[in-house]
Every structure is written in C-alpha cells, then in structure tokens.
Amino acid sequence: MQLRANNIRKLPDQTFDVLVIGGGINGASAAAALSGKGAKVALIDRGDFAGSTSMHSSNLVWGGIKYMESGDFKLVRKLCKSRNHLIKSYPSTVQEIRFLTTINKGFRHHPLYPWAGTWLYWLMGSAFTRMPNFLRPSGIKAREPIIDTRNAQGGFEYSDAYLHDNDARFVFNFVRGALDFGTVAANYVESLGSRREGEFWITRVRDRTDDRSFEIRSRVLINAAGPWVDQHNSLSGQKTDHHHVFSKGIHLIVPRLTDSKRVLAFFVDDGRLFFVIPMGPRTCIGTTDTRVEKPEVGATEEDIRFVLDNINTRLELQTPLGKEDIIATRCGVRPLAVKPSGDGGRDFLNLSRKHAIDIDSEKRHLSIFGGKLTDCLNVGEEVVEEVRRLGVEIPYPDVRWYGEPDASVREAFMHQARLMDLDAMTSAEASEPLSTRLWRRYGAQALEMLEDIRQDPTQGEVLIEGTEYLRCELKLARRREMVTKLEDFLRRRAKVSLVVPEESIRHSPGLREACDILFDDQAEARLQEFLETEEG
C-alpha cells in the first residue's frame, strides 16, 4: 500500500508530459513505452490494472487465423509478426502451442480448404512456428482420444502461442515496467473528465479508496480506457472518427479435461471458433460472441449453457460437464473499433480486433480504440511516435522497453536456485519446477525471493492451500505490485481465484495470513471486504 500512497501524493504535485487514462493492455504498454524512452508519464485506472477486458481473454497470443477467411491478410501478417516478436521477447511467458482443429461433416468447407489456409498462415508468419499437419479422423483420435470423431471429416494441427500464466499478470508486468522507468501510476483513481487550459490538460480525478478529489496536469492526454473510451471522450468534449461496439465473451474454467499441452479448436454450429485451452491443473473452455450495447456485462444462464452444450457435444467425457464443474467464470467485452459509416452491426462476427488511434493534434489528445494483447508492442511504439509528433521530447528513442531480462541474469538466478536446491521445494501439486515459475513471473526480482528463502525457509512454503503461491511472493506483491484489494492479488497478480473454487479460498487457513502480509493493520477490513463481495 505504501507504493500507491506515495504515488497518489505525487500525482497532483507534478506536471507530466503524458497522462494515460486506463491500465489495460493498451494503456499499460503505452505507459511502459513512453516512460522507457524518457517521457514523464502518469497512469491511472478507475479500478485495478487489467481489471476489465484485459483479464477476460482466452490467454491466447495468436496471429488472427480467423481473419484469413475474410481476406484481411495485411492484419494477419502484422499480428503474426507481433506474435513472433512476443515469443522471442518473452520466451518464459509467451510460448508456442499446437492447435488441433476438428472439422465436422456439414461444415461450410472441406477440411482441405482450411488446412491449405494454415499453410498460408504459416508462411505469412515467416515459417516461425512448427509446420501444419493435415489429419484424418483416425489421426485426430490418436492424438487426442477425448475428441468425439464420429461426425468428423478431418482436421489439421498448426501452431500459435499462449500465455503460460494469465493475461492480467502479463498486463501488470507492463505496468510494473513503467513504474521501474519512473511512471507515477495508481489504481482505483477515477477520471471525472478533462479540460484543456492553455498548453495543458487538467484532469479531475477521485481516489476511490477515500473519495478525495484532486487534479493532474499533463501536456498530452491519452484515453486508453478500453470499453469506456467513448464515455471518457464525452466527459472531455472529444469528437473522434472511431467509436466502439461491444462483443461479450465468456469462458468457463473447469477441472483439467486432458493432459495434452495443446489447444483443441472446433467450429460451433454458427461457424464461430470454440476452444479447449490448457490452464495448468485446469481447462479453460469458450467462448461466446454476443453483441451487447454496453460494457458492463455478466454471464447468463444461456451463455453458460451454450458453452457446456458445445463442449459436451464435441468431447467424449465419462460424465458430461455441468454447472457443478465450473470453478470460475470469465466474462468481459471485446471493444471493437468501427467508424460511424462502417455500420458496426453489419457482419458483426467478422469485425476484427485491430486497434485504431484517433489523434486531435491541436489539443494533443489520443484515443486508443480496439486492440488485442498480441498487438501490444506495436501499440506502445505507435503511441511513442504520435506523442513525439505532438511535440513531447523523447530523449531515448532507441531504448528497448519490453522483454525479459537478458540470458546472463536468468542464468545467475538459475545457478543460485540450483545451489540451494530450490526445485526440491516445489509442491507436489505444482505444474512446473519452482525455479521456472518464479523466473517467469518475476524476472530479476526473483533473485530477491531466493534471499528471502535462504534467510527463512518458511518463505518458500505455499500459503494458500491448492495454489502454487509462496509467502515470499506475497511479500514482494506488497512492496512492488500495488495490491489495494485482496481480489487484486487473487485474481490479477496471481490466478488463484481462476483455479481454486471460491469456497476453498474462503476457508483456506492461509487467507488471513495472506491479508496480514499484504495489508498490515488493514488486513481484517480487506478480508471482510473480499468475503462480503464474494457472498454478494
């Protein structure tokens, strides 16, 4: 909490080159890029960082193979290059994974047609991943016995990428990077609107933890509020070429359905892609694609039934999945960028996720529409260039503001981990060695955890039963990760509430200790706040 309190004090006392409103993937990457290259940046979010669309994705980092059918090859090429760049920049986090796609009888194309498309997709991705394979039904069954192939014509296997951890954690690491570069960031700070006064934007904000209001001054204002970009533009009197339409998508987290480390893909009855995605000890299934009018959404009985029916139809499970098998639900909106003349209702299911940046050069205002996690590095670089054109000095234009620490740092960590036999402390239910996980999640900061464990071996113990999170991780989260509410840790810095049933979390003997570590004298209040929210 100290980090946030210090930053709250700084926000009204300084004049920033740029204020970024919104801490989802677009805002986080923009802040990291700008501050990494030397601009003076502030970043606020009215909730927690990655608290909306950026925590409800499929955890996939893919080049947009579905846009092949609509002929948007330029976008596919760009996204494939972005995917490859992320794999190279974050080898511990963004990893290649095989997609096994089954084509059933009655589909609009013979399986050879989409299989040929995967070859073109592979070539457009610079042949960076493993080659595609065509599969007959028997080949599908041999690779994945759980798939019901009685109605299958064939299928194919190709590669894309996924996040080994979770989307919100990946986004927060950009926020953390921005903080390391000097960004003054705070969550739970809501913009009440911005006005232009002379050469500056004056943004009135409210600290949602204590209701205190104050103002932030900046030369440039970036609206990266995700699904609420249009709403904030209305508050600030900005007119833009683009606006958002919304697609609701849900995913269900269920017990692990297969031990294979591949994504199973199907085309559901209306032609949409449907995925079965590995998530450590769990499986993530979905998604839906429903037009909605506003970004505040929830999973309905119809949504849940759609996902369960599709999974039960396409897999041969010993017992069909039911609502009682659902461990967690992810539900959010995809903000899709359209122009008024483009009719967002036409061909809605084929609208792409490509981003658009609308610029008011006179007032030095940027609005970021649409976008997806795969394209985050491009968003960051594009924002830097646009801000430079608006007259803000970028002192270090060639600095690399993203990626894992270099190999020498990783080897120093792994060597120390081997010397202290860290992996012998890996819990029995863990999905990977402890050294691998700590490096992926914390990079160079994982070296501090080794010292904590050397001084006090209990720091290497799992704190909340059924998870892989250690005492020393909560200690670091308290100091560096601006955990303001218990849910911030359980759902976004970690993925505890995605893989552990709510009832198990509530009754975990380690939950109170976790609050003590994270919140000190506010522990009881934060715990009760969480328990009351969960009950609600």
Side-chain angles (χ1 to χ4, degrees):
M1 298 289 283
Q2 189 63 44
L3 173 60
R4 182 179 183 276
N6 288 341
N7 283 0
I8 290 286
R9 283 193 290 270
K10 293 176 184 177
L11 285 171
D13 293 340
Q14 302 181 22
T15 297
F16 297 92
D17 291 326
V18 182
L19 169 62
V20 181
I21 297 174
I25 187 59
N26 288 338
S29 58
L34 285 163
S35 56
K37 292 175 183 287
K40 189 174 182 180
V41 180
L43 170 67
I44 60 172
D45 195 293
R46 70 176 186 177
D48 190 26
F49 304 117
S52 181
T53 297
S54 293
M55 72 171 189
H56 293 302
S57 79
S58 300
N59 281 11
L60 300 179
V61 181
W62 59 327
I65 192 171
K66 74 173 187 175
Y67 305 135
M68 298 283 291
E69 190 173 11
S70 58
D72 201 345
F73 298 123
K74 183 178 179 181
L75 176 63
V76 173
R77 170 65 175 159
K78 181 182 180 183
L79 290 177
C80 282
K81 289 171 68 176
S82 300
R83 175 204 64 195
N84 297 349
H85 194 26
L86 283 171
I87 292 173
K88 288 185 286 187
S89 301
Y90 296 93
S92 301
T93 302
V94 183
Q95 299 174 345
E96 180 178 347
I97 192 170
R98 297 295 272 177
F99 282 63
L100 196 165
T101 303
T102 302
I103 304 294
N104 284 336
K105 295 170 185 174
F107 184 63
R108 58 184 178 271
H109 300 298
H110 188 278
L112 287 173
Y113 182 85
W115 173 67
T118 63
W119 275 93
L120 179 58
Y121 184 64
W122 180 68
L123 292 170
M124 292 178 74
S126 304
F128 183 78
T129 58
R130 293 166 56 192
M131 291 188 296
N133 298 318
F134 179 77
L135 299 170
R136 301 186 183 281
S138 58
I140 295 172
K141 197 71 173 175
R143 279 173 168 78
E144 200 63 62
I146 198 174
I147 297 176
D148 185 349
T149 57
R150 288 173 294 182
N151 195 39
Q153 291 188 81
F156 49 89
E157 195 173 45
Y158 71 99
S159 287
D160 251 313
Y162 83 126
L163 292 172
H164 194 102
D165 227 314
N166 68 319
D167 46 7
R169 177 74 208 184
F170 186 71
V171 173
F172 178 76
N173 282 342
F174 281 106
V175 177
R176 184 59 252 182
L179 287 163
D180 290 340
F181 291 132
T183 289
V184 179
N187 51 6
Y188 297 98
V189 174
E190 179 180 13
S191 171
L192 304 176
S194 306
R195 65 186 188 276
R196 188 75 181 172
E197 289 187 359
E199 293 298 306
F200 300 100
W201 279 100
I202 310 299
T203 301
R204 188 76 181 167
V205 303
R206 178 173 66 93
D207 183 346
R208 297 182 68 188
T209 67
D210 62 10
D211 248 6
R212 186 171 64 90
S213 296
F214 55 90
E215 293 182 338
I216 303 173
R217 292 167 58 89
S218 64
R219 295 178 176 85
V220 174
L221 185 65
I222 297 179
N223 180 359
W228 294 276
V229 164
D230 296 304
Q231 184 182 100
H232 194 272
N233 280 338
S234 295
L235 288 174
S236 304
Q238 281 291 304
K239 297 186 183 302
T240 55
D241 292 335
H242 291 85
H243 70 275
H244 277 144
V245 295
F246 304 115
S247 165
K248 181 177 75 168
I250 80 159
H251 297 86
L252 305 179
I253 313 300
V254 298
R256 185 162 56 196
L257 300 179
T258 172
D259 290 332
S260 73
K261 298 290 180 67
R262 59 165 64 92
V263 175
L264 310 184
F266 308 91
F267 289 94
V268 297
D269 295 339
D270 61 8
R272 289 178 287 178
L273 278 167
F274 186 88
F275 297 113
V276 176
I277 305 166
M279 185 185 278
R282 309 300 184 196
T283 296
C284 176
I285 55 177
T287 179
T288 59
D289 201 344
T290 310
R291 174 80 181 259
V292 293
E293 296 303 316
K294 56 184 183 178
E296 295 81 14
V297 294
T300 65
E301 290 290 329
E302 182 181 3
D303 294 329
I304 293 170
R305 181 46 52 196
F306 173 87
V307 174
L308 292 176
D309 286 349
N310 272 285
I311 200 69
N312 289 328
T313 299
R314 286 160 177 81
L315 299 183
E316 291 185 328
L317 303 172
Q318 286 187 341
T319 305
L321 286 175
K323 288 183 65 176
E324 66 279 3
D325 297 304
I326 299 172
I327 295 166
T329 302
R330 312 174 93 173
C331 178
V333 295
R334 308 169 186 91
L336 307 171
V338 299
K339 291 188 174 183
S341 58
D343 183 10
R346 179 173 56 85
D347 235 4
F348 177 72
L349 294 178
N350 289 323
L351 287 175
S352 79
R353 297 287 303 279
K354 62 184 175 184
H355 71 270
I357 302 177
D358 282 6
I359 302 162
D360 182 337
S361 298
E362 183 181 349
K363 293 185 177 179
R364 294 183 175 181
H365 185 283
L366 280 70
S367 302
I368 308 177
F369 294 89
K372 58 188 297 172
L373 189 146
T374 308
D375 215 18
C376 61
L377 301 185
N378 288 329
V379 170
E381 293 290 352
E382 289 173 31
V383 166
V384 169
E385 182 58 25
E386 295 300 344
V387 168
R388 185 191 65 76
R389 286 176 182 161
L390 294 176
V392 173
E393 183 184 3
I394 304 297
Y396 310 108
D398 298 324
V399 163
R400 188 171 186 264
W401 52 273
Y402 56 85
E404 293 183 14
D406 64 39
S408 63
V409 180
R410 182 182 187 279
E411 182 49 40
F413 168 77
M414 289 298 178
H415 181 60
Q416 289 191 36
R418 285 190 294 269
L419 290 175
M420 61 188 289
D421 201 15
L422 180 71
D423 287 344
M425 302 175 66
T426 305
S427 62
E429 63 270 17
S431 58
E432 61 186 333
L434 188 52
S435 59
T436 302
R437 186 175 65 77
L438 291 182
W439 172 259
R440 185 185 67 252
R441 290 177 59 84
Y442 305 103
Q445 297 301 318
L447 285 160
E448 295 182 24
M449 295 184 181
L450 297 186
E451 182 59 25
D452 287 342
I453 294 170
R454 279 193 288 263
Q455 292 185 19
D456 177 8
T458 66
Q459 293 294 312
E461 294 176 356
V462 171
L463 185 56
I464 300 175
E465 187 179 355
T467 76
E468 300 179 30
Y469 293 90
L470 313 181
R471 280 189 176 85
C472 60
E473 292 182 80
L474 279 94
K475 181 179 174 182
L476 183 138
R478 170 188 168 177
R479 188 173 69 257
R480 289 180 52 85
E481 299 192 350
M482 209 174 291
V483 176
T484 305
K485 299 184 177 182
L486 184 54
E487 184 196 10
D488 300 342
F489 178 79
L490 295 177
R491 176 63 179 82
R492 287 176 287 275
R493 308 299 182 271
K495 58 180 180 182
V496 173
S497 59
L498 283 177
V499 299
V500 179
E502 175 190 323
E503 202 61 22
S504 298
I505 296 173
R506 291 171 60 86
H507 293 98
S508 169
L511 190 63
R512 176 54 198 255
E513 185 181 345
C515 287
D516 289 337
I517 294 172
L518 292 168
F519 305 117
D520 284 338
D521 57 352
Q522 295 184 31
E524 183 61 30
R526 296 285 81 83
L527 177 61
Q528 291 307 314
E529 174 187 60
F530 171 77
L531 295 176
E532 289 168 9
T533 301
E534 293 301 296
E535 285 176 355

